[in-house]
Amino acid sequence: MPIENWLAFIAASAIMLAIPGPTILLVISYALGHGRKASSATVAGVALGDFTAMTASMLGLGALLATSAALFTVLKWVGATYLIYLGIKLWRAPVGTSAEGEGDVTGRERPLKIFLHTYIVTALNPKSIIFFVAFLPQFLVPTLPFWPQVLIFEVTFLVLATCNAALYGLLASAARNTIRKPSVQRVVNRTGGGLLIGAGLLAAGWKKAVA
């Protein structure tokens, strides 16, 4: 594969990943509400979810979603409903006092559960699956073997996506360490919950692209 194609893919992916979407909003919300342990769980969920979405798109699910309005609608509403559910849950999450440690807050939401939440949101995003179908072929060289190129691009994108999510999570965790008052924690939870609910409503309004 020409190095120019790989570098162009890195540049395009970095720009795309820098723009926060529903998954990054979830990472930030969990990091603010639960701390660094939750941030690590969300980053792992993002990585596996992106891998699932990219692999599914290359195996043909993206093409199927692009032509099947019913399947697209089902996945869209499942993903949107789940985002809204997580937003409401975060909005109503109890807050601790300044004397309570981060471990107590994190204990109310186990890392495995947070990981699964993030994975589901990332992997069940039909817009992302279709996007990968349209995005990756622009950088493929038709005369070269298909799957080795796809593998290189997938690994590259996963590394970039993981670093991006980790950076957002670390920044949000650092900001959380300055938040001690329950009133401020409540504002953070409701802001994050509101953003997730908004992301769910926007996801519900996505329309399937028509060729």
Side-chain angles (χ1 to χ4, degrees):
M1 176 194 309
I3 189 67
E4 294 83 3
N5 288 43
W6 185 62
L7 292 176
F9 177 81
I10 290 177
S13 297
I15 293 173
M16 180 193 71
L17 288 168
I19 303 172
T23 299
I24 293 300
L25 288 178
L26 188 60
V27 171
I28 294 173
S29 297
Y30 270 128
L32 286 174
H34 299 275
R36 188 167 296 178
K37 289 184 179 180
S39 178
S40 300
T42 56
V43 170
V46 168
L48 185 58
D50 278 332
F51 174 76
T52 301
M54 293 185 74
T55 302
S57 67
M58 291 299 98
L59 291 177
L61 179 57
L64 180 60
L65 283 172
T67 57
S68 173
L71 180 58
F72 182 92
T73 300
V74 169
L75 282 182
K76 178 185 72 172
W77 280 104
V78 168
T81 301
Y82 197 68
L83 274 173
I84 293 172
Y85 159 75
L86 292 178
I88 293 174
K89 187 175 181 180
L90 180 59
W91 181 289
R92 300 175 60 185
V95 296
T97 64
S98 57
E100 292 176 328
E102 181 177 301
D104 182 64
V105 177
T106 305
R108 285 197 285 263
E109 192 85 47
R110 294 186 179 280
L112 178 58
K113 194 173 183 179
I114 293 173
F115 164 78
L116 291 174
H117 285 169
T118 312
Y119 170 74
I120 291 171
V121 169
T122 306
L124 289 184
N125 187 344
K127 192 176 182 181
S128 293
I129 296 175
I130 293 177
F131 172 79
F132 286 131
V133 170
F135 182 64
L136 280 179
Q138 300 179 46
F139 304 93
L140 296 173
V141 179
T143 56
L144 296 178
F146 175 76
W147 286 111
Q149 294 184 80
V150 169
L151 179 61
I152 291 173
F153 285 137
E154 280 204 25
V155 171
T156 300
F157 187 89
L158 289 177
V159 170
L160 292 173
T162 301
C163 292
N164 181 68
L167 179 59
Y168 274 110
L170 287 175
L171 291 175
S173 296
R176 180 187 182 277
N177 291 334
T178 66
I179 300 171
R180 298 301 179 191
K181 294 182 179 179
S183 59
V184 179
Q185 293 179 24
R186 188 175 296 108
V187 170
V188 169
N189 285 352
R190 291 184 176 178
T191 300
L195 289 174
L196 288 177
I197 292 171
L201 294 175
L202 287 175
W206 287 339
K207 295 185 181 296
K208 182 171 67 70
V210 179

